[in-house]
Amino acid sequence: MTEKLQKTAITPATHTTPPAKFSHGVKKGNILQVAGQVGFGPAVPGQAPTPVGPTLREQTLQTLRNVQSVLEEGGASWEDVMMMRIYLTDTGHFAELNEIYNEFFADLKEAPAARTTVYVGLPAGLLVEIDALAVLG
């Protein structure tokens, strides 16, 4: 009989508790799924999360840092990421997003992952959301 792998919820100390019954990340075996992250700054007890700023640059950089926090909490790094999905609210932001993305990952030897970008509606004030799938080892 095969031993069943346990799922472990991942929530970095810098993140707020999600508003519904989900985790910022879930690890099972060597798989780590990072839930969609947005450009909220570090959690402040007693305060609702808010975007770090109104611009795509501010929000994208913070969103990538938030994804990275979940990866690190789960024992992963960008080198372990196989797939990223980016959700934008405005088709006009695609070129700027790519510039920010390329700058953020400039030190990596290879592209960080396969990537899909789609356009969606997000809560007021949010411009971008990113999730990631990592395979450790």
Side-chain angles (χ1 to χ4, degrees):
M1 188 167 170
T2 305
E3 182 180 333
K4 186 172 178 158
L5 297 173
Q6 295 286 13
K7 286 194 302 186
T8 303
I10 308 294
T11 301
T14 56
H15 286 50
T16 59
T17 301
K21 195 170 179 96
F22 67 88
S23 302
H24 288 286
V26 174
K27 185 175 178 181
K28 186 171 184 176
N30 67 337
I31 306 291
L32 172 60
Q33 176 65 57
V34 178
Q37 301 294 302
V38 295
F40 291 153
V44 176
Q47 290 185 9
T50 56
V52 292
T55 69
L56 181 66
R57 173 169 287 282
E58 291 167 306
Q59 289 190 28
T60 300
L61 291 173
Q62 184 64 48
T63 299
L64 288 165
R65 287 191 290 268
N66 290 344
V67 170
Q68 185 170 341
S69 293
V70 178
L71 289 169
E72 290 171 354
E73 187 76 17
S77 70
W78 289 114
E79 284 77 19
D80 299 308
V81 174
M82 300 297 294
M83 178 67 189
M84 293 174 63
R85 284 175 291 267
I86 298 179
Y87 308 91
L88 289 172
T89 60
D90 185 337
T91 58
H93 286 159
F94 187 73
E96 183 181 1
L97 171 86
N98 283 334
E99 289 173 19
I100 298 163
Y101 188 89
N102 288 339
E103 290 171 22
F104 187 86
F105 292 112
D107 293 338
L108 291 184
K109 293 176 187 170
E110 298 179 10
R115 189 184 107 182
T116 299
T117 304
V118 297
Y119 301 97
V120 299
L122 291 173
L126 293 173
L127 303 174
V128 60
E129 181 173 347
I130 300 173
D131 69 35
L133 176 66
V135 178
L136 290 75

